[in-house]
């Protein structure tokens, strides 16, 4: 069950969809529920509800999300990753890349800035330049888990 306003939920879903953590069906089902509830019905909800591609759904979600509490939404998306300990180096690199780009676009607050260096570190480990990929992923997972433990209710 999602918490927060329609704007916050849309922000969370947009990130999760963009990062490949959820599929289009889950997003459409959310929009359908919001429309049926009659709560905060916005034209963009209808666009999301009728979406036939993730790109169209993202467009509608992003129009709904400008008033969302952005960084708390990022925390909730990270909390969706229930099997974070089992991330492959490639998956961890992709997630770390998303976090890095968000931080560059939106001036990451201190707790998130601690995650910004992991993308390069994981990729360098995958390439055999430094350390082992497993250790790099382990450190990333530990930092994400510590962030969630500290900042998620």
């Amino acid at each position: 069950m999602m918490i927060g306003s329609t704007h916050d939920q849309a922000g969370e879903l947009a990130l999760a969809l963009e990062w490949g953590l959820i599929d289009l069906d889950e997003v459409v089902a959310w929009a359908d529920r919001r429309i049926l509830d009659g709560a905060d019905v916005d034209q963009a909800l209808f666009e999301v509800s009728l979406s036939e591609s993730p790109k169209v759904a993202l467009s509608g979600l992003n129009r709904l999300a400008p008033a969302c509490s952005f960084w708390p939404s990022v925390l909730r998306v990270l909390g969706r990753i229930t099997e974070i300990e089992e991330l492959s180096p490639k998956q961890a690199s992709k997630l770390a890349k998303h976090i890095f780009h968000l931080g560059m676009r939106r001036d990451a607050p201190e707790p998130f800035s601690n995650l910004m260096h992991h993308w390069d570190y994981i990729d360098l480990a995958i390439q055999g330049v430094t350390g082992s990929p497993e250790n790099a992923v382990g450190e990333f997972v530990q930092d994400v888990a510590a962030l969630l433990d500290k900042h998620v209710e």
Side-chain angles (χ1 to χ4, degrees), residues 49-68:
S49 176
L50 299 171
S51 296
E52 294 184 6
S53 74
K55 184 176 180 177
V56 173
L58 275 172
S59 173
L61 289 169
N62 286 328
R63 283 205 328 276
L64 288 166
C68 81

Side-chain angles (χ1 to χ4, degrees), residues 27-138:
V27 173
V28 169
W30 169 81
D32 291 345
R33 283 190 307 275
R34 297 303 296 180
I35 291 167
L36 290 174
D37 289 345
D40 303 325
V41 176
D42 183 292
Q43 185 64 33
L45 270 174
F46 291 102
E47 179 181 331
V48 174
S49 176
L50 299 171
S51 296
E52 294 184 6
S53 74
K55 184 176 180 177
V56 173
L58 275 172
S59 173
L61 289 169
N62 286 328
R63 283 205 328 276
L64 288 166
C68 81
S69 302
F70 183 76
W71 290 106
S73 293
V74 173
L75 281 172
R76 288 191 300 275
V77 170
L78 290 174
R80 286 175 165 265
I81 304 170
T82 56
E83 297 174 0
I84 198 163
E85 295 84 15
E86 299 178 20
L87 287 176
S88 71
K90 186 176 180 177
Q91 291 168 318
S93 174
K94 185 177 177 182
L95 180 57
K97 178 182 177 180
H98 287 304
I99 293 168
F100 175 82
H101 284 291
L102 284 177
M104 295 304 292
R105 285 191 318 222
R106 296 204 178 224
D107 290 328
E110 187 274 323
F112 289 95
S113 64
N114 294 336
L115 300 177
M116 300 281 293
H117 72 281
H118 285 288
W119 178 37
D120 282 339
Y121 182 56
I122 293 168
D123 280 357
L124 289 171
I126 290 170
Q127 296 168 14
V129 175
T130 183
S132 76
E134 293 76 19
N135 287 344
V137 171

